[in-house]
Structure formats: structure tokens, C-alpha cells
């Protein structure tokens, strides 16, 4: 990894002095990649006083270092490593009791030095980042036009990631399905951190995580570490920011996310802090849909407490909860009323420990629940029921140590889960099959998945690194054991280019709701994917950066509905469709390959321009042994984003998006009229293509400051030129012909936040 040599990558050095008594000072800290926030091993750190070396060391596996027995005074701190651009020395003042200082120095992108009480660092996975890896700060997420202050909607416009539709924040990553994305928040695995989450999916209507609490969010679209095993396509790793220092801080406001409030404060002894955030929707006041009335309501809360214990340990508590409800009255579709409520919660504790400059550990334990109670009534008759509860108890322990063979990460993960469902649906059908099924199931199952993993990262010829790992999973539901080897490396070419490559096996179990729909589905084998890719990131010119990465993915064991042998469920979940399925069989295959590119430039002091383009080809094959285009294939994707800021505390931004139309299967008019519902023409599966999608979103932000208080006012217009973007064709029984359903038209969004 070229730290400082490639403009797209910055270095931040966090120095922390933990001495609480007068006497020699101790500086401890971490050298991190500014883009990924991951520690960088093998960096030489030297502190000089009056041109004399006062202390020196080399960073450990997680980028940590410690300089002992320093006298009070002024130091120049330098960090360097073979193949890395040299970092200009940073001046640090150590004075007082305890010795502390805070300095911020600009270097290329940004370098920050901070000297304060030591906080152990999470020894997460490999530090090798991808060539086109999206990294977003919380401020960038909050101000992104068209993202609705939602981290996952912000990711939808990044290279390698696509959206399924305007109504949802699902992530389609490099041809993968909407069930394939893992989310980790402050080290805690959260199955679905979204309001109105799709059962079995990883997305929903709106994120539960307020962006103003996010420090940085990254998404790895391939080649992620063996320590991640929940999903196949991506890992969204979100770090919450620390509480603001010095005093009690708060925020009140309203906007697209509803009415909101937040309060935070450090502990009096300076060894930790707490944060509490709450939101309540306002959508029910104005939200309507054509053909019926939809009344959504939601609320969420987040509590975070962190505390340092001695000089070696740090404890963190995270609690997240949300409550959603919706009522739908539709007088044209045959169902009089649908009522539904959903509650989601997670509580967990994490212990980070630094045992020596070479050894660190992390232990994470959490319990998460998801409850749903939805009914549909036709008059007084209940003709649909979805009532269930999922409970996940998770434990993960990681140990990272610097050894002669490199940085070694070893870990153990256990997930014990229980699902309890009562399902009822009459006449369930898909347009792929003329047969209707009645689903009536009561299912309660408990299983445990156990995984062990080991990974080592070592230098490669002095100008790169290679990481090799193996993950072994015991899947409780299917009763099988699998091994997943993974390999990733990078290499520096000169001072302006970095090559990256990866290969690996990735697996995940089928969603609980699919297991509950039919007892036979419990024994389905995990879905598997073999993936490889590689690319280059380079600094073409000072301030102009380019990332290119190609990928190739081969899936097997994807479920297929036995009544629709040509339909692989890789495109399921992302379209508010029924989560109920009949008996499924493993055996579907999917191929995805393509290239993602991103270019960023700063043509002026106040202007930043980012553009990306992706080309994907995705095909699938069911039991009919015919390869055909996948329904969620988005072959061409392009985005352009401009951000303009002025010192007078205001900013303007725009984002334009283009996506080529995805394939679809036309209806058979004769069969649909005869059946009184939609029936596809199965001789033309995915042979037609929807019209391209494109829209322009613009936004203006203004910050007003008075004393310690500040107000942020924003206004944006989404789909500025009001394009009619087609979502889907539906069969109109009354008119006996297809009827188009469109995505969002021109939409106005505004809000206000007051911080104090």
C-alpha cells in the first residue's frame, strides 16, 4: 500500500500518552491508512529532540507503537517505511501532568497527531484495501445529494455498487443479490440495520444509523478477510465517531429522517464518553401512494458508551433499536387492508485489549432480535399472516500478533440463532408458474453456526504485502462443514501506482424466512461463490487519482423454486415482493464479471469532482440448463458528482446517475387474461430490456454559527428534471394489459439541525 505516495491514500498518526502522574512521558499510538482507517504494520517511528533521536520503534501488526521514558519538551516525530513516501516530521509538545498535546498538520490529504490517554485499537482484518474502494465520512454521507442521509443510499452511488430501485437502499454489489451484504458497526455484526427491512435481505427503506454519528464508512466489494463470513458479496464496515470533547453537546433538528435529537458527553475523568440519539418519522403526515394510501411510521434509538480501563483495555457498549409500522388500504387490488409492525434491536459489549506492542485482542458479544407481525384482510377474512421472531446470539474473539512469519490474525466466531414463524398465504404464485400454492407453516428452529479462521499478512519483496487466510465453518442447519481459503496482495510500482489482486471462496446460509416457509428448506446447503479480481490505483497527476478493478464471480448452490426451474433466486428480496417461497432446491448457478473505475480530481481549492463507471455482465442458469441474462443485471452504470465549498460556511453539490435498463420477461397476454393475473411468456425469459434510468440531484447547505451553537440548513431537489424512470410493468386485470409503474419523480427535501 503506497502511504502518502498515492494521493488517494493518506496517513494519520494518532499518538496517545497515558501517563497520569508527573515523570517520564509515554507516547503510544497507531499509524493508520486514512482511507480504510486500518493500522499499517512495519512503519519506523522516530522521535527527535534537538536533532537527537530520543526514542524509536516499529509499528506492530495493527499499526500500534509505543515510545517510553520521554522527558517533557518539544519533539519532531517522523514515520517511514520501505516503498512508502516519507512523511514530513510532526512537532509534538509534551508538557504538564499528564503529558499531553493535540496537533493537526496537513500533508497531502490530512495527517493528525494527538497525544492523550491510550485507547486500544480493534485488531480487525487485513489492511490491504481494494483499488476502487469507496470510503465516506459521516459528513459526506449527510450532505450527499439523493442519499436521504442514509449511509447505504450513499454507497449505492459508489463504484462496484448499484441500487435496485428508488424505494429501497439495498446494495447490489458486483452482480450479487440483495441478500449478500454484511454490515459491521463498531465491530458488531448487525443483520439488517434498516427501517422496513426486507425479510431475508440486508436492505430496507432507510438506514437506522444517523450519519452525524458516523466517523467513516467503507465498503469492501471483494477480497475481504477470512474473519468475515456472514455474506458473500461485500462488507459495509461503519465506525461511529467518538463523543466531542470538553463538555455536554447536543443536537436537535428535523428533515427527511424525521424529528431527531442527540446528546453526548465525555466522562469527567477523560477516560470515556457516552452518546444517545433518537429519531421519529414525519412521513406519515404527507406520504401517499397512487392506488391506495400508505401510512408508514418509524422510530429509532442508538446508545453508545465507551470506557478505557487502565492502560491496556477499552470497553464499549452499543445498543440499537427501531420500531416500524405501516397501514395500506388498497381498494383496487382485492385486499382491503394490510397492517404490519416490525421491531429490531441489538445490544452488545466489546472488549479491546493491548497486551504488548506485538499482541492485541478483541472480544465481542451481542444479542439481536427481529420481530414482525403483519396481516392482510379481505373484509373480515384474514388471508395473509406473517408473524415471527428471530433471535441471534453472537460471540467473536480475535487475537492478532506480530510474529516472524508476519502479522497473524486468529479468531473464533459462534452464532446461535432461533426463528419462530407462523405464516399463512393463500394462492401464492409467481408469474413464472401457472400453479398456485397455499403456504401455511408454523416453524420453530434453533441452530448454531461455528467458525474458526486464521490469516497472516507479511511483506512482499519490500514493496508490497500478501495476505493468506483460511476460514472453516460448521453450518448448524445443514449440518455440513466447509473450508474457505482466501488470498490477497498488493505491490507498489514506483511512487504513484499500486497493484492489487485477490482470490477466494465465500459462503452464506439461506435466509431464515426461506427456511420457515417450507420445512425442507432448512437443509439447503450454503450458497457458495468463488471470486477473483484485481486492479490498479494510481496518482495520474497531483490531485488526480484513478482506480480500476476487474472482477469475476462464480456462484453455485443458489436456491431455485421447483415450480420455476428457470428462475434462480439471486434477484429475490430487493423489490418489496412476498418473502414467502415454496420448496426450494440448491443447484442454481450465477456468473458475474465486469470492471469498475473511479476518477477523482480537485481542479480548484474549493471544487472536487468524482466520476465512476462500471460495466457488468451477469447471467444465471436454473434447472433448465439454459444460461440467460440475470434480471438484476445492470450492464452500464455511470455517476458524476461535483462538490463546491466556500469558506463562508456554505456548500453546493450535485450528483448525476445513469444506469442502463435491466432485462425483463414480457407477459403472455393470452395466458394472463385467461388466468386473471400476470403470467410470463416463458419462451422469452429476460429477452427484453427496460429503458435506461437517469436522474440529477442537487443540494445546497448553509452553516450559521453563533457562539457555541451552530445551525445547519439544507435544501435539495432530487430528480431535478423530473424524468419518468420506469420501475416495472405490472399486469392490469381490469384493462387486461401491462401497466407501467414509475420510480420517484421530482422530490423536494429540506431540513434543519441545531448543534450546541
Amino acid at each position: 500500500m503506497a502511504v502518502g505516495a498515492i494521493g488517494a491514500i493518506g496517513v494519520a498518526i494518532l499518538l496517545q500518552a497515558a501517563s497520569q502522574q508527573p515523570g517520564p512521558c509515554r507516547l503510544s499510538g497507531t499509524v493508520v491508512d486514512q482511507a480504510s482507517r486500518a493500522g499499517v504494520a512495519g512503519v519506523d517511528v522516530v522521535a527527535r529532540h534537538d536533532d537527537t533521536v530520543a526514542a524509536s520503534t516499529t509499528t506492530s501488526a495493527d499499526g500500534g507503537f509505543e515510545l517510553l521514558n520521554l522527558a517533557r519538551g518539544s519533539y519532531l516525530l517522523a514515520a517511514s517505511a520501505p516503498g512508502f513516501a516519507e512523511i514530513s516530521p510532526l512537532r509534538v509538545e509534551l508538557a504538564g501532568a499528564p503529558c499531553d498535546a493535540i496537533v493537526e498538520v496537513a500533508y497531502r490529504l490530512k495527517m493528525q497527531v494527538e497525544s492523550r490517554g491510550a485507547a486500544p485499537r480493534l485488531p480487525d482484518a487485513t489492511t490491504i484495501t481494494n483499488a476502487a474502494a469507496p470510503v465516506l465520512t459521516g459528513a459526506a454521507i449527510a450532505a450527499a445529494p439523493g442519499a436521504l442521509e442514509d449511509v447505504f443510499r450513499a454507497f449505492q452511488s459508489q463504484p462496484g455498487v448499484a441500487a435496485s430501485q428508488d424505494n429501497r437502499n439495498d446494495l447490489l454489489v458486483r452482480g450479487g443479490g440483495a441478500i449478500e451484504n454484511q454490515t459491521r458497526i463498531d465491530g458488531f455484526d448487525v443483520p439488517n440495520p434498516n427501517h422496513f427491512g426486507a425479510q431475508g435481505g440486508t436492505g430496507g427503506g432507510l438506514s437506522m444509523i444517523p450519519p452525524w454519528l458516523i466517523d467513516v464508512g467503507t465498503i469492501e466489494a471483494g477480497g475481504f478477510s477470512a474473519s468475515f463470513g456472514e455474506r458473500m458479496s461485500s462488507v459495509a464496515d461503519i465506525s461511529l465517531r467518538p463523543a466531542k470533547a470538553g463538555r455536554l453537546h447536543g443536537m436537535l433538528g428535523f428533515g427527511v429522517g424525521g424529528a431527531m435529537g442527540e446528546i453526548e458527553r465525555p466522562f469527567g475523568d477523560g477516560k470515556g464518553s457516552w452518546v444517545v440519539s433518537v429519531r421519529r418519522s414525519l412521513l406519515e403526515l404527507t406520504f401517499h401512494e397512487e392506488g391506495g394510501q400508505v401510512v408508514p411510521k418509524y422510530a429509532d434509538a442508538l446508545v453508545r458508551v465507551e470506557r478505557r480501563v487502565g492502560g491496556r483495555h477499552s470497553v464499549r457498549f452499543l445498543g440499537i433499536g427501531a420500531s416500524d409500522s405501516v397501514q395500506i388500504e388498497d381498494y383496487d387490488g382485492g385486499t382491503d387492508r394490510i397492517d404490519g409492525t416490525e421491531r429490531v434491536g441489538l445490544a452488545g459489549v466489546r472488549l479491546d485489549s493491548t497486551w504488548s506492542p506485538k499482541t492485541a485482542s478483541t472480544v465481542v458479544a451481542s444479542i439481536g432480535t427481529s420481530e414482525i407481525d403483519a396481516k392482510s384482510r379481505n373484509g373480515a377474512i384474514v388471508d395473509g399472516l406473517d408473524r415471527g421472531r428471530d433471535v441471534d446470539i453472537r460471540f467473536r474473539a480475535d487475537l492478532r500478533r506480530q510474529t516472524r512469519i508476519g502479522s497473524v490474525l486468529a479468531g473464533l466466531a459462534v452464532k446461535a440463532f432461533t426463528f419462530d414463524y407462523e405464516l399463512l398465504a393463500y394462492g401464492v404464485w409467481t408469474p413464472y408458474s401457472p400453479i398456485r400454492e397455499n403456504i401455511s407453516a408454523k416453524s420453530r428452529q434453533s441452530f448454531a453456526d461455528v467458525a474458526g479462521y486464521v490469516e497472516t499478512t507479511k511483506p512482499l519483496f519490500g514493496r508490497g504485502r500478501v495476505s493468506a487466510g483460511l476460514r472453516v465453518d460448521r453450518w448448524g442447519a445443514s449440518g455440513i462443514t466447509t473450508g474457505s481459503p482466501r488470498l490477497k496482495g498488493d505491490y507498489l510500482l514506483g511512487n504513484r501506482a499500486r497493484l492489487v489482486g485477490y482470490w477466494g471462496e465465500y459462503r452464506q446460509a439461506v435466509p431464515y424466512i426461506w427456511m420457515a416457509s417450507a420445512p425442507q428448506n432448512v437443509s439447503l446447503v450454503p450458497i457458495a461463490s468463488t471470486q477473483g479480481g484485481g486492479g490498479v490505483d494510481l496518482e495520474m497527476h497531483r490531485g488526480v487519482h484513478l482506480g480500476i478493478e476487474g472482477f469475476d464471480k462464480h456462484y453455485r448452490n443458489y436456491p431455485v423454486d421447483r415450480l420455476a426451474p428457470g428462475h434462480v433466486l439471486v434477484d429475490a428480496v430487493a423489490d418489496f415482493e412476498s418473502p414467502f417461497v415454496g420448496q426450494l432446491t440448491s443447484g442454481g448457478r450465477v456468473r458475474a464479471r465486469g470492471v469498475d473505475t473511479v476518477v477523482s480530481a480537485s481542479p480548484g481549492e474549493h471544487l472536487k469532482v468524482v466520476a465512476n463507471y462500471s460495466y457488468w455482465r451477469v447471467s444465471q442458469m436454473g434447472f433448465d440448463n439454459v444460461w440467460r441474462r440475470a434480471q438484476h443485471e445492470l450492464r452500464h452504470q455511470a455517476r458524476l458528482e461535483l462538490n463546491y465549498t466556500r469558506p463562508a460556511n456554505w456548500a453546493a453539490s450535485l450528483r448525476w446517475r445513469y444506469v442502463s435498463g435491466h432485462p425483463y420477461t414480457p407477459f403472455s397476454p393470452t395466458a394472463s387474461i385467461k388466468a386473471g393475473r400476470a403470467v410470463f411468456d416463458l419462451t422469452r425469459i429476460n429477452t427484453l430490456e427496460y429503458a435506461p434510468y437517469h436522474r440529477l440531484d442537487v443540494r445546497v447547505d448553509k452553516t450559521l454559527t453563533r457562539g457555541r451553537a451552530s445551525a445547519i440548513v439544507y435544501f435539495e431537489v432530487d430528480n431535478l428534471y423530473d424524468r419518468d424512470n420506469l420501475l416495472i410493468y405490472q399486469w392490469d386485470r381490469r384493462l387486461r394489459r401491462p401497466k407501467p409503474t414509475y420510480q420517484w419523480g421530482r422530490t423536494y427535501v429540506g431540513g434543519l439541525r441545531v448543534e450546541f
Side-chain angles (χ1 to χ4, degrees), residues 142 147-150 153 206 212 254-260 279-283 298 699 714 716 718 744 747-752:
L148 302 182
E149 299 181 338
D150 182 333
R153 290 180 185 270
L206 190 70
W212 47 87
F254 68 90
V256 66
M260 60 202 73
R279 288 191 300 180
R280 170 69 164 80
S281 69
L282 302 174
L283 293 178
Y298 63 84
R699 175 175 173 129
Y714 67 90
E716 73 175 70
D718 297 340
W744 292 354
T747 304
Y748 301 93
V749 178
L752 167 69

Side-chain angles (χ1 to χ4, degrees), residues 367-380:
I367 180 170
T369 64
S370 175
E371 299 182 20
I372 189 168
D373 188 356
K375 294 180 181 179
S376 65
R377 292 183 173 89
N378 192 342

Side-chain angles (χ1 to χ4, degrees), residues 48-53 74-76 91:
R48 290 185 173 87
H49 178 67
D50 294 335
D51 295 328
T52 301
V53 175
S74 177
Y75 293 86
L76 287 177
R91 184 169 296 279

Side-chain angles (χ1 to χ4, degrees), residues 6 43 126 220 262 348 363 503 557 567 590:
I6 300 172
V43 178
T126 174
E220 287 195 75
E262 181 256 328
V363 178
W503 174 90
N557 302 332
H567 181 211
V590 180

Side-chain angles (χ1 to χ4, degrees), residues 168-170 191-206 208 322 324 342-344 370-372 386 573 576 579:
R168 301 188 58 82
N169 67 5
D170 295 287
N192 193 337
N194 294 292
H195 291 287
F196 306 104
Q199 286 180 272
T202 57
L206 190 70
M208 297 189 307
D324 307 329
E342 186 174 9
R343 295 181 177 87
V344 178
S370 175
E371 299 182 20
I372 189 168
D386 183 0
V573 180
F576 283 118

